[in-house]
């Protein structure tokens, strides 16, 4: 049976020492997030994930979801009870506004909880995760009536939510969608069409499911300019909030998938289902992007989460599995062989995953904190800077952390040898579950193109220049600190490579766009490596300060510093390789005739 222990201490180190959130007490909800309160909340969240969610991960994968003859869906044994414990604990509304029944705490705390949930049981965690995204979209773009009618029940966890974008012929290019909306004459619309790959589209864990559906109103312009967003509940809701008749929406079938078997991924049929417009007509993508951006950050967290749980199991196995002797002589002479953790290549593998995980966690929480500032600050300059940061970093968080999360899960599986290929160990599930994170909410190639094609040049490059300036300022301020030398010098080199790659695109991609397309994925990973290197710089500085304070933290902080040093020595140099690939341009990539493939 796989093991999982939520990394509460690592999260608290980030929230208290690296990004001390006490400095944001002027923002709504932050004054309540005292150190003791955060420790209590995350401790309780960890307990829920470790005792209620994690034990169902392997069994949920084996059992999967079942579509019944009447179109209803039964989730794996125990899922409903675990979800009820989550809902009754108030976790759905951790960072939701108090006026809708939430606790109004910082979003960054909810991000920590999302990681714990996704590590302990990714398939189960998707049900509340999608609901939180739907809540966010309704709060920003829904009418006051829609917010009052739907959001409190969703915050309570009594109702869940989904997002319905993809159609059989239409994935990334949403301008091709065919689902239509016909006015009913009473302010509602009749929604007709088929959506596929709809996570949590039908299940038995909540009394109602609130679908957010993209459709085209009859007579609307072609392409993305004619798309509108609708709220389409599974059961219609009366004005007093009571449930009414079943709506014309049903699960046609369940997708048979490589992983996340415990999540009901549905083909959804809309047969004249009654829906109501969210926001303005023909502006549906703007509204849905609120949910998509929330989802993309959450998916980046999922990549980290699978990497973390795979790492924990690989460490446990490496300490226990006896095989061979250390190259420098037996380390455990009383045993027939040494545990494999004595071997340099095993340590290289584990440290690679560990160094990525800790930097990735910092990167996600840094970005999540910017979300809090963007939505809660009263200072328009602060809000703009935070919003710039989120726009720039969202494709990096989603694309890089999920690529690395899958890679780490494979690395962790490899340490088990043949036992990692056997289902009973649970390692193959981490690999299979991690794989979807690279695909859904915008495949990672799309994330790379979004970064290079849209985000770099947005507002005259304001966001990327702010990032360069911040990282550069950190390097300059700490250049003479001998204790940080092993962090600052590699970070400076990586930043220089990133700036050079950015300049190369400016000089070579305008006249020849294929240069941008061919180098986009390498650029996204180059950016991600520098961003994680910056996180290690901040963590190293905080660790040195915490170590100097004493309080028994020296050993843990030494572990942080060693992990960070490994990242700088072994992973940071990859920026040079990425730069070389980008600078090679698109000629060889695009030269081959199609028929020669």
């Amino acid at each position: 049976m796989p093991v999982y222990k939520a990394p509460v201490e690592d999260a608290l180190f980030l929230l208290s020492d690296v990004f001390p959130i006490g400095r944001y007490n002027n923002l709504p909800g932050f004054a309540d997030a005292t150190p003791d309160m955060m420790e209590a909340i995350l401790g309780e969240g960890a307990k829920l994930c470790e005792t209620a969610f994690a034990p169902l991960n392997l069994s949920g994968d084996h059992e999967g979801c079942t579509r019944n003859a009447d179109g209803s869906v039964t989730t794996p044994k125990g899922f409903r009870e675990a979800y009820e414990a989550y809902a009754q604990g108030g976790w759905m509304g951790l960072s939701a506004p108090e006026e809708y029944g939430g606790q109004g705490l910082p979003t960054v705390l909810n991000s920590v909880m999302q990681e714990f949930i996704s590590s302990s049981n990714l398939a189960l965690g998707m049900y509340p995760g999608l609901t939180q995204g739907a809540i966010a979209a309704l709060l920003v773009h829904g009418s006051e009536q829609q917010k009052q009618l739907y959001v409190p029940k969703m915050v309570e966890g009594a109702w869940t939510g989904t997002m319905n974008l993809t159609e059989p012929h239409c994935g990334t290019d949403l301008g091709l969608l065919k689902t239509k909306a016909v006015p009913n004459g009473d302010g509602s619309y009749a929604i007709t069409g088929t959506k596929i790959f709809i996570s949590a589209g039908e299940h038995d864990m909540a009394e109602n499911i609130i679908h957010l559906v993209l459709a085209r109103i009859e007579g609307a312009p072609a392409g993305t300019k004619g798309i509108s967003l609708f709220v389409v509940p599974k059961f219609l809701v009366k004005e007093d909030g009571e449930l009414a008749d079943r709506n014309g929406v049903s699960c046609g079938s369940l997708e048979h998938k490589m992983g996340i078997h415990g999540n009901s991924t549905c083909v959804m049929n809309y047969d004249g289902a009654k829906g109501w417009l969210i926001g303005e007509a023909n502006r549906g993508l703007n509204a849905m992007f609120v949910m998509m951006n929330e989802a993309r950050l959450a998916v980046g967290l999922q990549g980290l989460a699978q990497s973390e749980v795979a790492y924990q199991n690989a460490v446990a196995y490496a300490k226990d599995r006896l095989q061979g002797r250390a190259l420098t002589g037996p380390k455990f002479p009383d045993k027939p062989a040494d545990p494999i953790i004595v071997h340099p290549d095993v340590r290289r593998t584990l440290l690679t995953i560990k160094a990525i995980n800790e930097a990735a966690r910092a990167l996600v929480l840094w970005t999540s904190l910017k979300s809090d500032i963007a939505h809660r600050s009263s200072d328009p300059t602060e809000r703009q800077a935070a919003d710039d940061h989120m726009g720039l970093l969202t494709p990096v968080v989603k694309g890089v952390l999920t690529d690395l999360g899958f890679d780490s899960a494979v690395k962790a599986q490899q340490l088990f040898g043949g036992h990692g290929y056997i289902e009973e160990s649970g390692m193959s599930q981490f690999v299979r579950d991690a794989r979807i994170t690279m695909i859904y909410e915008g495949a990672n190639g799309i994330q790379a193109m979004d970064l290079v094609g849209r985000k770099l040049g947005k507002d005259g490059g304001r966001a990327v220049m702010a990032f360069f300036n911040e990282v550069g300022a950190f390097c300059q301020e700490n250049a003479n600190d001998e204790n940080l030398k092993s962090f600052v010098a590699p970070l400076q080199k990586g930043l220089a490579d990133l700036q050079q790659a950015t300049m190369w695109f400016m000089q070579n991609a305008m006249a020849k766009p294929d240069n941008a397309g061919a180098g986009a994925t390498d650029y996204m990973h180059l950016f991600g490596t520098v961003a994680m290197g910056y996180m290690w710089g901040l963590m190293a500085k905080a660790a040195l300060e915490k170590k100097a304070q004493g309080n028994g933290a020296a050993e843990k902080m030494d572990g942080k510093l060693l992990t960070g040093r490994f990242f700088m020595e072994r992973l940071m140099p990859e920026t040079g390789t990425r730069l070389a690939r980008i600078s090679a341009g698109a000629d060889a990539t695009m030269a081959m005739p199609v028929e020669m493939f």
Side-chain angles (χ1 to χ4, degrees):
M1 174 69 74
V3 298
Y4 175 66
K5 183 172 177 58
V8 175
E9 282 190 28
D10 278 349
L12 290 173
F13 169 68
L14 293 170
L15 296 173
S16 299
D17 299 284
V18 182
F19 312 112
I21 68 173
R23 69 176 67 161
Y24 302 103
N25 279 352
N26 61 310
L27 300 181
F30 273 74
D32 296 328
T34 63
D36 288 345
M37 178 64 80
M38 288 193 300
E39 188 171 354
I41 289 171
L42 296 185
E44 284 302 308
K47 192 183 302 180
L48 174 70
C49 292
E50 292 164 4
T51 61
F53 278 42
L56 300 174
N57 195 38
L58 194 62
S59 62
D61 178 63
H62 290 167
E63 182 181 345
C65 293
T66 304
R67 181 183 178 277
N68 305 305
D70 62 357
S72 64
V73 171
T74 303
T75 53
K77 183 179 179 181
F79 270 40
R80 183 170 183 169
E81 291 76 12
Y83 174 78
E84 286 175 356
Y86 172 91
Q88 290 170 7
W91 295 104
M92 188 78 82
L94 189 64
S95 61
E98 292 181 75
E99 63 191 285
Y100 297 104
Q103 299 170 55
L105 289 165
T107 300
V108 70
L109 273 179
N110 189 57
S111 293
V112 176
M113 187 62 183
Q114 281 186 319
E115 184 204 329
F116 294 175
I117 290 169
S118 296
S119 280
S120 59
N121 195 322
L122 177 58
L124 177 53
M126 287 171 66
Y127 295 92
L130 285 158
T131 305
Q132 289 177 336
I135 290 169
L138 284 167
L139 287 175
V140 174
H141 290 284
S143 67
E144 191 57 38
Q145 181 187 20
Q146 289 168 346
K147 287 187 274 193
Q148 294 296 338
L149 197 60
Y150 300 112
V151 173
K153 282 287 191 179
M154 296 170 78
V155 167
E156 181 187 333
W159 300 351
T160 59
T162 71
M163 57 192 299
N164 285 237
L165 289 78
T166 308
E167 299 182 6
H169 58 282
C170 159
T172 300
D173 191 353
L174 290 170
L176 300 175
L177 71 79
K178 295 179 180 177
T179 299
K180 66 179 181 178
V182 180
N184 286 324
D186 60 357
S188 69
Y189 292 77
I191 311 296
T192 301
T194 297
K195 300 287 185 177
I196 63 170
F197 306 156
I198 307 306
S199 302
E202 172 64 28
H203 57 81
D204 58 355
M205 298 196 297
E207 60 186 16
N208 203 6
I209 303 173
I210 310 304
H211 301 288
L212 300 192
V213 184
L214 288 180
R216 194 183 306 279
I217 298 172
E218 277 194 325
T224 56
K225 293 180 180 178
I227 296 174
S228 299
L229 180 63
F230 298 87
V231 56
V232 187
K234 172 182 173 180
F235 287 96
L236 298 173
V237 184
K238 300 176 184 177
E239 288 186 9
D240 62 1
E242 293 298 312
L243 297 185
D245 297 335
R246 176 69 187 258
N247 206 352
V249 52
S250 62
C251 170
S253 64
L254 290 176
E255 307 285 6
H256 298 281
K257 314 184 297 290
M258 175 180 174
I260 53 168
H261 295 150
N263 193 269
S264 54
T265 308
C266 303
V267 174
M268 300 300 296
N269 295 323
Y270 291 84
D271 300 305
K274 188 170 280 192
W276 288 264
L277 183 67
I278 297 176
E280 298 177 44
N282 304 330
R283 299 273 294 168
L285 275 185
N286 286 353
M288 185 59 92
F289 263 116
V290 172
M291 188 171 183
M292 288 175 69
N293 284 333
E294 292 266 342
R296 284 171 177 174
L297 291 172
V299 172
L301 262 172
Q302 291 175 356
L304 159 64
Q306 293 307 288
S307 179
E308 174 64 31
V309 68
Y311 166 77
Q312 289 188 20
N313 282 273
V315 168
Y317 186 80
K319 289 179 178 179
D320 184 64
R321 174 70 167 173
L322 302 181
Q323 201 85 169
R325 290 296 189 185
L327 297 175
T328 52
K331 298 297 184 233
F332 293 81
D334 57 320
K335 295 182 178 181
D338 286 333
I340 62 173
I341 200 166
V342 304
H343 303 308
D345 195 60
V346 170
R347 286 171 165 256
R348 174 196 62 80
T349 301
L350 291 174
L351 275 170
T352 296
I353 305 172
K354 179 178 173 64
I356 288 170
N357 287 353
E358 295 194 25
R361 183 173 297 114
L363 183 59
V364 170
L365 296 192
W366 184 41
T367 303
S368 183
L369 186 55
K370 297 293 186 181
S371 174
D372 277 315
I373 296 169
H375 291 106
R376 304 185 189 213
S377 176
S378 59
D379 184 335
T381 304
E382 269 190 356
R383 287 202 309 272
Q384 182 187 78
D387 196 57
D388 284 352
H389 171 103
M390 288 186 64
L392 180 69
L393 267 294
T394 293
V396 176
V397 167
K398 197 282 182 186
V400 174
L401 300 196
T402 59
D403 275 356
L404 293 177
F406 175 74
D407 187 49
S408 292
V410 172
K411 283 183 167 71
Q413 181 191 36
Q414 182 73 15
L415 287 190
F416 280 68
H419 294 285
Y421 202 67
I422 302 300
E423 288 294 331
E424 285 78 3
S425 73
M427 297 308 290
S428 75
Q429 183 187 357
F430 302 139
V431 172
R432 289 184 285 103
D433 284 357
R435 187 66 185 89
I436 187 56
T437 66
M438 303 162 71
I439 298 171
Y440 61 14
E441 305 308 337
N444 287 354
I446 299 297
Q447 303 300 323
M449 285 303 299
D450 178 44
L451 175 65
V452 171
R454 293 181 62 243
K455 301 301 175 60
L456 290 187
K458 191 173 184 291
D459 300 312
R462 186 175 67 206
V464 74
M465 291 307 299
F467 177 83
F468 290 164
N469 291 337
E470 181 171 347
V471 179
F474 174 85
C475 293
Q476 190 172 355
E477 289 165 10
N478 297 284
N480 297 321
D481 188 335
E482 281 299 315
N483 291 320
L484 285 173
K485 189 174 181 180
S486 58
F487 291 85
V488 171
L491 180 57
Q492 281 181 311
K493 172 63 169 62
L495 177 61
D497 288 341
L498 179 60
Q499 289 172 318
Q500 190 174 336
T502 307
M503 185 62 68
W504 192 90
F505 277 145
M506 290 174 63
Q507 294 170 345
N508 294 278
M510 291 294 287
K512 191 174 181 180
D514 282 342
N515 281 328
T521 292
D522 278 302
Y523 184 87
M524 179 179 72
H525 278 276
L526 170 50
F527 202 117
T529 302
V530 173
M532 288 192 289
Y534 178 43
M535 294 300 97
W536 268 118
L538 294 176
M539 286 190 286
K541 189 175 178 68
L544 288 166
E545 291 171 357
K546 195 172 179 69
K547 184 178 175 181
Q549 294 167 6
N551 302 324
E555 186 176 350
K556 288 186 181 301
M557 293 305 104
D558 281 341
K560 290 275 181 202
L561 293 165
L562 281 170
T563 306
R565 208 179 90 202
F566 178 90
F567 183 95
M568 290 301 185
E569 289 179 3
R570 302 298 295 257
L571 303 181
M572 202 68 193
E574 291 176 6
T575 61
T577 302
R578 299 286 184 185
L579 174 61
R581 290 176 182 165
I582 292 164
S583 303
D587 289 351
T589 303
M590 303 307 295
M592 186 175 288
V594 172
E595 61 271 14
M596 293 180 67
F597 277 89

